[in-house]
Amino acid sequence: MSFDLPFSARISVPDGVLVRDLDGESVVLNLQTEKYYGLDDVGTRMWAVLTTSPTVQAAYETLLHEYDVEPERLREDLRRLIGDLVEHGLLVVHE
Amino acid sequence: MLVSRRYSIGAAVTLETEASFPELPRSSRVPDLRLLFRRTRFDERPSAWSHHWTLPNGDLWMSSAKLKDDHFLHFPGYADFLMSADGTRVTAYRRASVAGCTIRHLFLDQVVPLALSRRGQTVLHASAVSTPHGALAFVAESGSGKSTLAAAFARNGSPFLTDDCLVLRISKTGVEVLPSYPGLRVWPDVLPAVTNEKRRLPRVSNYSSKRRLAPGNAPIDYSDAPAALRRVYFLGESSQDIAIAPIPARRAMIELVKFNYLYDVKDREALAWQFHRLSALARLPLFYAIDYPRDLARLPDVRRAILEHAAGTP
């Protein structure tokens, strides 16, 4: 899912969501839905940066610096990841 | 007046009950689980179910619910069980037409793992054997060959520790397997590969053709001694060749969750505790995937390959 995400927004992890880093990858549990999700190494890094940055734009700039990726491709990947995680109740967007 | 008997359900549980359990050895330990039988229906029904488990054909197998502080386990057509909040007392409500072996099987192989989960134990749907290298566990869906593998080891010098209820004791110094009771449940077509025993082996239940193998009725070894966990093998699909490969921690975690017994998936505290324990376990270098031919004639090769692998460095 890719959705209309303002990059000025802030991302946070809602109550009832647990995450564990496992050798650079991670597993996330939503206690409300009792469902587990896996993130690969890139998804794990995106999660870490998104949930500790003041805005999505700041996270985007950090990741653009770290990865050899086209800017528009990274923008789209972030939109898609955030859309998926928000849909499953694993992240909250504060506009 | 009925007399209470004490039985050992492996290293983890001592059972006290008035019923006879031919599947279990007697015990002199202090009981920590009591089982009562009622020959009546349990008429109270929960207002909401916590979870339903279905069979591969879509039929309902088991439903669970909270009833006040107790846990209600409903096996349609067979029996109901009411488990106390602390997992130390179970009442079985059986239908008169259901065979005693079926009730005992449901209790031993379905209710006891959930009672152990309720007590905070880590319990996986897996078989395990004891080898000179340590305990080896085989994790898979029902019908995927984990009992057959355990039986193949158990008749060739590596005693089995459990057929289907793998209890793990996790500490700072490592992970130990706590043995379950001395019985394996195998399909009739597997029997010739693991025993020459000609006597009629007891049925597990009246809804399955599986038979019970035990040290008393087949040439297999069982160990009641806890053993350090050496390897956990997730059984893959049948393949032409034997292939063993390590799996990353993230996948190990997801697989562990899938095969973990949890008494109530709606219990947030239990779910969080499970997440904490299984993620710590998944970080350990214990987990492998194995593909092998589901050909009984190749069982000796599979057993040798696993033993060689277990002898290697992590």
Side-chain angles (χ1 to χ4, degrees):
Chain A
M1 173 184 165
S2 179
F3 73 132
D4 190 16
L5 172 73
F7 271 47
S8 58
R10 180 174 65 84
I11 299 293
S12 71
V13 182
D15 289 343
V17 171
L18 306 178
V19 60
R20 283 285 185 284
D21 186 294
L22 296 168
D23 294 342
E25 300 187 317
S26 56
V27 174
V28 186
L29 166 64
N30 185 331
L31 289 170
Q32 304 301 320
T33 62
E34 306 121 33
K35 292 197 182 313
Y36 286 81
Y37 303 86
L39 293 173
D40 65 11
D41 55 345
V42 176
T44 297
R45 180 61 187 151
M46 285 181 168
W47 172 288
V49 174
L50 280 167
T51 55
T52 55
S53 297
T55 61
V56 175
Q57 179 65 28
Y60 163 78
E61 287 167 10
T62 300
L63 292 165
L64 190 61
H65 186 70
E66 289 183 14
Y67 289 96
D68 182 16
V69 60
E70 292 296 321
E72 197 45 45
R73 169 76 188 275
L74 177 61
R75 237 173 223 287
E76 191 52 36
D77 285 350
L78 274 177
R79 278 199 189 95
R80 187 175 296 114
L81 178 69
I82 294 169
D84 285 346
L85 295 173
V86 167
E87 185 184 5
H88 291 106
L90 303 174
L91 290 180
V92 174
V93 176
H94 306 272
E95 296 188 23
Chain B
M1 180 180 160
L2 292 171
V3 177
S4 286
R5 305 174 173 95
R6 293 179 185 182
Y7 297 98
S8 169
I9 311 180
V13 179
T14 301
L15 173 68
E16 184 173 67
T17 181
E18 292 171 345
S20 174
F21 267 80
E23 298 85 356
L24 301 176
R26 298 293 281 266
S27 174
S28 58
R29 294 182 311 204
V30 176
D32 54 5
L33 178 61
R34 286 178 172 77
L35 172 65
L36 300 170
F37 278 96
R38 296 282 182 269
R39 283 189 171 274
T40 56
R41 283 175 61 97
F42 186 75
D43 288 329
E44 189 178 346
R45 282 293 179 264
S47 55
W49 295 101
S50 300
H51 199 64
H52 298 289
W53 285 263
T54 53
L55 298 168
N57 66 6
D59 289 350
L60 182 62
W61 164 240
M62 183 181 109
S63 299
S64 68
K66 284 285 286 284
L67 274 179
K68 300 187 181 113
D69 290 333
D70 293 340
H71 296 277
F72 178 60
L73 303 169
H74 173 56
F75 295 87
Y78 297 109
D80 295 325
F81 295 88
L82 197 62
M83 181 172 73
S84 64
D86 60 1
T88 63
R89 194 183 65 254
V90 174
T91 305
Y93 297 83
R94 60 178 289 191
R95 295 188 175 197
S97 59
V98 178
C101 66
T102 300
I103 302 298
R104 295 195 302 273
H105 157 59
L106 292 175
F107 172 72
L108 287 174
D109 303 314
Q110 303 290 332
V111 178
V112 168
L114 294 172
L116 288 168
S117 159
R118 184 65 190 90
R119 297 180 192 188
Q121 302 264 21
T122 301
V123 188
L124 299 176
H125 188 54
S127 67
V129 298
S130 182
T131 76
H133 316 298
L136 311 180
F138 307 114
V139 188
E141 300 282 3
S142 294
S144 299
K146 57 186 182 299
S147 296
T148 303
L149 263 185
F153 276 85
R155 78 158 297 175
N156 289 281
S158 300
F160 74 94
L161 298 163
T162 183
D163 178 43
D164 193 34
C165 175
L166 178 68
V167 184
L168 298 177
R169 183 159 57 196
I170 304 168
S171 68
K172 288 177 182 170
T173 56
V175 183
E176 264 191 328
V177 174
L178 300 185
S180 183
Y181 70 93
L184 291 173
R185 290 168 284 146
V186 298
W187 296 107
D189 60 340
V190 173
L191 289 175
V194 293
T195 178
N196 296 321
E197 182 55 56
K198 301 296 182 193
R199 282 181 297 171
R200 187 173 168 78
L201 296 164
R203 287 182 74 142
V204 170
S205 68
N206 59 352
Y207 62 79
S208 165
S209 60
K210 277 186 173 179
R211 304 285 167 173
R212 278 198 186 279
L213 286 179
N217 64 24
I220 55 171
D221 295 325
Y222 161 77
S223 172
D224 62 0
L229 181 62
R230 172 69 175 164
R231 297 271 198 267
V232 176
Y233 297 97
F234 293 100
L235 309 189
E237 298 296 314
S238 182
S239 62
Q240 188 70 26
D241 300 315
I242 302 165
I244 302 175
I247 62 173
R250 175 170 64 110
R251 187 180 151 203
M253 170 74 179
I254 296 293
E255 294 292 321
L256 287 171
V257 168
K258 188 174 156 189
F259 292 103
N260 181 57
Y261 284 95
L262 187 63
Y263 68 94
D264 183 0
V265 294
K266 300 286 185 195
D267 185 324
R268 303 276 179 267
E269 195 176 327
L271 205 55
W273 178 232
Q274 171 189 259
F275 186 73
H276 168 73
R277 276 182 307 180
L278 295 185
S279 58
L281 186 61
R283 287 192 178 100
L284 301 175
L286 297 169
F287 302 99
Y288 295 83
I290 178 169
D291 293 327
Y292 63 95
R294 297 305 197 275
D295 175 356
L296 295 175
R298 299 282 305 278
L299 262 181
D301 297 337
V302 176
R303 186 176 56 81
R304 275 191 292 273
I306 292 171
L307 278 174
E308 281 176 19
H309 180 264
T313 52

